Amino acid sequence: MSQSTVVKRQFGHRARLALSPAEVLKTDDQAHAARTMWNLLHAWWQMMPKEKRTLGHADAAIRQARKDIDFLAVLPAQAAQAVLKTYFQAWKNCWEGRAGAPDFKGRFRTVMSVDIPQGRDLNIVRVHRRWGMANIPKVGRVRFRWTKDLPVAKHANAENRITGARLVKDTLGWHIAFRVQSVEAKAEPHQGPEVGIDVGITVPIALSDGQTYEHGEWLTTKEKAKLLDLEQRATRRKRHRKPGERTSHRLHRTYDQIAGLRAKAKRRALDWQHRTTTTIARTYGTVVVEALTITNMVRSARGTVENPGKNVAQKSGLNRSIAGEAWGRTVTMLTYKTAQHGGTLVKVPAPHTSRRCSACGLITPGNRESQAVFVCKNPDCGWSGNADHNAARNVLHLYRMGLALIPAAGRAVVRRAKRVKPATAR
């Protein structure tokens, strides 16, 4: 296979770990030690003069700290070096304007994680159709859920291998996120049709060919009732807490139960998004979406004391619905999945796609009679149909007119580009 027909791909894969109580305790200790190491590095950085804030001086300080503080010895040496590199990279990102300045990490506000920099230490094997095993430094051999083919230890090479991993704990337990490098055959140009996509709330995804993708509630009726009960319980317990008093363990358990239900809903939403975007990427060669500025769409309508906003509660509910659909995440998935299947994703300007008649081109606010029905007010047209389907057709029309958003100098600008018609299948 020649170099022109292959492509190097780097991606991440996250799997659920099945740890015993003793292994959970060991992993928790490592995560707390990593957080403590970060805080010690930050304190060292603030005390040292600028000329001594170097990687060499920091490495010497870490080695001395691991000798003086027994608690830090539970963290593997390579994981401690990863904390050091991450901390210096955080300052580099701050100086280049990509992020804020690093700060201390709190015990309850920080995601617990441990880095495994070298993939060869994992020694991954598949022991069952649904389970694999990996070696975690200073923890031992642990099982993880096998949901994707990974380069196992005996078949790994310089081109297809796992370069590292990271242990991450969320409300559903400990997970391992693999960093995978592989060499794959370059995808042939997708010969599928073009399609425009309109995202919404009532209809999450509507296509220009009339196809729609919908989903139900992420939580069952019993789960929603339990979530409401837990939120009310947390409010009552928080109300009885005195100012300055530490949060009780009972209230923390309630918060953990609430976070667990919300994480379960998010996991179901992610599963639906992955299945839907994979189907679209496999079916269509060119996918056209709107370039939405979601941060502006979910901005609060509260206003100020001098100029209070209107319909604040209704706008808050709309903002929650928009955030719940995660439109940006859908576009991100479509971006890399269409590329993997040989297709392309194009963004077009968003204004007037819901007000324009896809049949005659008339743009007026009165066209949209309701959230679901579109009726053209042009007496010579009078076209009517589904509003989401109409918007998706307008999105595709903008692409066919050559109005695509092309990034230039850090911003997106509208340029008329010559549209390339996909080749017909032979």
Side-chain angles (χ1 to χ4, degrees):
M1 188 177 294
S2 63
Q3 294 292 331
S4 60
T5 60
V6 298
V7 59
K8 182 179 291 186
R9 182 184 170 211
Q10 294 181 341
F11 62 94
H13 173 66
R14 183 164 170 161
R16 176 167 53 89
L17 288 173
L19 302 179
S20 66
E23 292 169 341
V24 170
L25 185 60
K26 291 180 181 179
T27 314
D28 287 348
D29 290 343
Q30 288 192 17
H32 287 305
R35 179 183 56 84
T36 305
M37 183 72 71
W38 174 283
N39 291 339
L40 290 175
L41 272 172
H42 192 60
W44 172 87
W45 181 277
Q46 292 179 330
M47 291 187 297
M48 283 291 154
K50 291 184 178 180
E51 61 272 10
K52 290 190 177 181
R53 293 175 181 174
T54 63
L55 198 61
H57 286 86
D59 182 60
I62 280 183
R63 294 177 184 274
Q64 188 63 37
R66 287 173 55 81
K67 294 179 182 178
D68 297 341
I69 305 175
D70 295 336
F71 173 70
L72 297 179
V74 300
L75 185 67
Q78 295 176 351
Q81 292 295 320
V83 174
L84 173 61
K85 293 180 181 179
T86 304
Y87 183 79
F88 272 75
Q89 183 63 41
W91 275 113
K92 184 178 179 181
N93 295 339
C94 174
W95 295 331
E96 295 177 358
R98 295 195 299 266
D103 201 354
F104 287 100
K105 292 187 176 182
R107 182 180 180 88
F108 297 108
R109 302 187 307 272
T110 305
V111 177
M112 298 178 65
S113 62
V114 181
D115 199 77
I116 305 175
Q118 297 184 359
R120 65 173 182 268
D121 296 338
L122 295 169
N123 193 21
I124 294 174
V125 295
R126 187 173 185 178
V127 297
H128 188 262
R129 181 171 63 90
R130 296 183 177 180
W131 293 99
M133 293 198 72
N135 183 55
I136 306 300
K138 293 196 174 184
V139 175
R141 299 290 290 174
V142 298
R143 293 193 307 160
F144 65 90
R145 192 71 169 176
W146 190 280
T147 57
K148 185 178 180 64
D149 289 336
L150 299 170
V152 295
K154 62 180 181 180
H155 298 305
N157 52 49
E159 296 180 344
N160 298 281
R161 60 193 177 96
I162 293 177
T163 59
R166 190 173 187 84
L167 306 178
V168 182
K169 187 177 185 180
D170 60 12
T171 53
L172 298 177
W174 277 101
H175 296 72
I176 182 168
F178 297 104
R179 296 187 288 269
V180 187
Q181 175 183 302
S182 64
V183 175
E184 302 175 355
K186 187 178 295 185
E188 295 292 332
H190 202 300
Q191 305 298 329
E194 303 166 348
V195 69
I197 294 182
D198 176 70
V199 292
I201 297 174
T202 306
V203 180
I205 296 179
L207 306 186
S208 57
D209 59 3
Q211 179 75 17
T212 59
Y213 293 93
E214 303 180 34
H215 60 76
E217 297 289 339
W218 301 127
L219 295 176
T220 63
T221 304
K222 290 185 178 180
E223 289 171 340
K224 288 191 290 186
K226 183 179 180 181
L227 178 61
L228 178 61
D229 178 68
L230 289 171
E231 290 174 342
Q232 293 174 346
R233 188 186 308 174
T235 303
R236 289 195 300 269
R237 289 174 177 171
K238 188 176 179 180
R239 187 186 303 124
H240 293 292
R241 188 180 60 180
K242 298 178 181 179
E245 185 179 359
R246 293 185 62 181
T247 304
S248 65
H249 292 290
R250 184 176 298 179
L251 183 55
H252 271 302
R253 281 199 301 271
T254 304
Y255 286 152
D256 291 340
Q257 289 177 300
I258 293 173
L261 284 173
R262 291 177 176 170
K264 183 180 292 187
K266 183 179 179 180
R267 184 175 60 179
R268 292 170 181 170
L270 276 171
D271 179 70
W272 179 85
Q273 283 183 307
H274 273 294
R275 293 176 184 271
T276 304
T277 53
T278 300
T279 302
I280 294 174
R282 288 175 177 173
T283 307
Y284 302 97
T286 302
V287 180
V288 189
V289 298
E290 297 174 287
L292 299 174
T293 309
I294 301 176
T295 54
N296 293 341
M297 297 175 65
V298 298
R299 188 169 295 169
S300 175
R302 187 174 301 171
T304 61
V305 177
E306 296 79 9
N307 298 313
K310 298 180 180 179
N311 299 326
V312 178
Q314 293 86 336
K315 184 63 169 62
S316 299
L318 177 63
N319 292 346
R320 286 193 295 269
S321 299
I322 293 175
E325 292 298 332
W327 297 337
R329 191 167 61 205
T330 300
V331 174
T332 301
M333 291 181 181
L334 284 172
T335 301
Y336 72 82
K337 289 184 180 182
T338 51
Q340 289 177 13
H341 291 84
T344 56
L345 183 131
V346 182
K347 293 184 180 181
V348 296
H352 307 307
T353 53
S354 62
R355 297 180 177 183
R356 179 184 180 275
C357 175
S358 59
C360 68
L362 177 67
I363 300 177
T364 177
N367 279 346
R368 192 148 185 176
E369 289 197 345
S370 66
Q371 184 66 27
V373 179
F374 183 94
V375 179
C376 182
K377 297 304 181 182
N378 187 353
D380 298 330
C381 179
W383 183 86
S384 63
N386 183 273
D388 300 301
H389 173 49
N390 176 77
R393 290 177 59 181
N394 287 328
V395 170
L396 181 59
H397 171 76
L398 291 175
Y399 165 69
R400 289 175 173 172
M401 291 293 293
L403 296 176
L405 290 177
I406 304 175
R411 64 185 186 279
V413 296
V414 180
R415 291 183 181 176
R416 284 190 175 273
K418 184 178 179 181
R419 174 173 163 264
V420 179
K421 188 176 182 180
T424 57
R426 297 186 179 184

